[in-house]
Amino acid sequence: MASSKKLISREEWEKRLSNVKIRKEDMNKLVMNFLVTEGYVEAAEIFRMESGTHPDIDLATITDRMAVKKAVQCGNVEDAIEKINDLNPEILDTNPQLFFQLQQQRLIELIRNGKVEEALEFAQEELAPRGEENQSFLEELERTISLLAFEDTSNCPVGELLDISQRLKTASEVNAAVLTSQSHEKDPKLPSLLKMLIWAQNQLDKKAAYPCINDLSNAKLEDPTF
């Protein structure tokens, strides 16, 4: 059965692409947005000097934000909370969900380090009162406390709470909250644009055969296959 798709040659496709005008200034802003959001302060500073692109926040604040993120990733939750409050006390005052997540992570770290009595005391004094006010908090507290019922947490149904991925998840939430407090997007724009590119190509694939980008790492056009 012959294909009903429209065939677009490489020459025609490249001609169409060349007619799309994108300002270098806009591309530079996308790169700077990515560097700032992801916390690459040194790269952002070099890029600022080389391209003349100015970030929309003070680059010095990136260092402080990354220090908070690193503290959570390393399990130093108390230090992270202190650093957050030094940056802006309103971040945790106005975000009970985030504060609970940090306190939950602190409880997880106590359990990880075998400090059972301290963990139980901390849960009772700091987390239980919040659980009484919020059902979802209570459920998370119960999940976390259940870790204590297993000597071998590898067989625990909620053992993933002790995975490094849990720290990374909490650190990501903290990073997003700090960015929001600085009136900056919590997610970089570049990955969203790449997702949009993939979606657009998937839609176009239904109607036409054309040179497309299959490998985003090199962005090379590849001729269609039949």
Side-chain angles (χ1 to χ4, degrees), residues 12-212:
E12 181 184 355
W13 191 246
E14 289 181 343
K15 182 179 179 180
R16 293 189 184 189
L17 292 177
S18 66
N19 289 330
V20 178
K21 305 301 180 184
I22 301 176
R23 298 189 308 165
K24 185 175 182 180
E25 178 184 359
D26 292 332
M27 294 297 294
N28 287 343
K29 285 182 178 179
L30 273 177
V31 173
M32 180 60 80
N33 171 267
F34 178 82
L35 295 175
V36 168
T37 306
E38 293 299 306
Y40 298 112
V41 61
E42 293 182 5
E45 178 61 31
I46 293 173
F47 188 69
R48 182 190 66 80
M49 292 187 294
E50 292 182 349
S51 68
T53 305
H54 296 282
D56 54 5
I57 64 173
D58 183 355
L59 290 180
T61 63
I62 300 178
T63 302
D64 296 331
R65 175 164 53 87
M66 288 300 99
V68 173
K69 187 176 181 180
K70 184 177 181 180
V72 178
Q73 290 173 336
C74 293
N76 301 323
V77 183
E78 288 181 88
D79 184 40
I81 292 175
E82 184 177 336
K83 291 181 185 299
I84 293 171
N85 287 330
D86 287 341
L87 278 175
N88 185 350
E90 291 186 1
I91 293 175
L92 296 181
D93 288 345
T94 59
N95 195 334
Q97 175 72 37
L98 180 64
F99 185 63
F100 178 83
Q101 285 179 293
L102 283 165
Q103 295 290 64
Q104 180 188 20
Q105 190 63 47
R106 186 177 171 188
L107 175 60
I108 291 170
E109 300 304 334
L110 290 173
I111 294 173
R112 186 198 311 277
N113 294 320
K115 300 179 179 179
V116 177
E117 290 185 10
E118 189 175 343
L120 289 171
E121 182 179 352
F122 179 75
Q124 183 176 2
E125 294 182 358
E126 299 294 337
L127 294 176
R130 297 181 181 277
E132 293 175 358
E133 301 171 358
N134 187 304
Q135 181 62 31
S136 64
F137 289 175
L138 179 60
E139 291 173 359
E140 282 301 310
L141 174 57
E142 291 174 344
R143 288 181 70 237
T144 308
I145 286 295
S146 68
L147 289 169
L148 294 173
F150 294 83
E151 291 186 7
D152 182 6
T153 53
S154 63
N155 295 321
C156 177
V158 293
E160 72 275 3
L161 291 174
L162 293 172
D163 290 344
I164 296 301
S165 60
Q166 177 67 23
R167 284 183 180 176
L168 299 181
K169 177 183 176 183
T170 304
S172 178
E173 293 292 335
V174 170
N175 186 59
V178 174
L179 282 167
T180 300
S181 75
Q182 297 171 341
S183 300
H184 191 282
E185 301 99 332
K186 63 181 181 179
D187 297 309
K189 296 177 180 178
L190 193 55
S192 296
L193 288 174
L194 293 176
K195 290 178 181 178
M196 191 179 299
L197 168 64
I198 294 172
W199 177 86
Q201 287 193 156
N202 288 337
Q203 296 302 307
L204 189 55
D205 284 343
K206 301 173 183 177
K207 301 179 180 180
Y210 62 98
C212 64

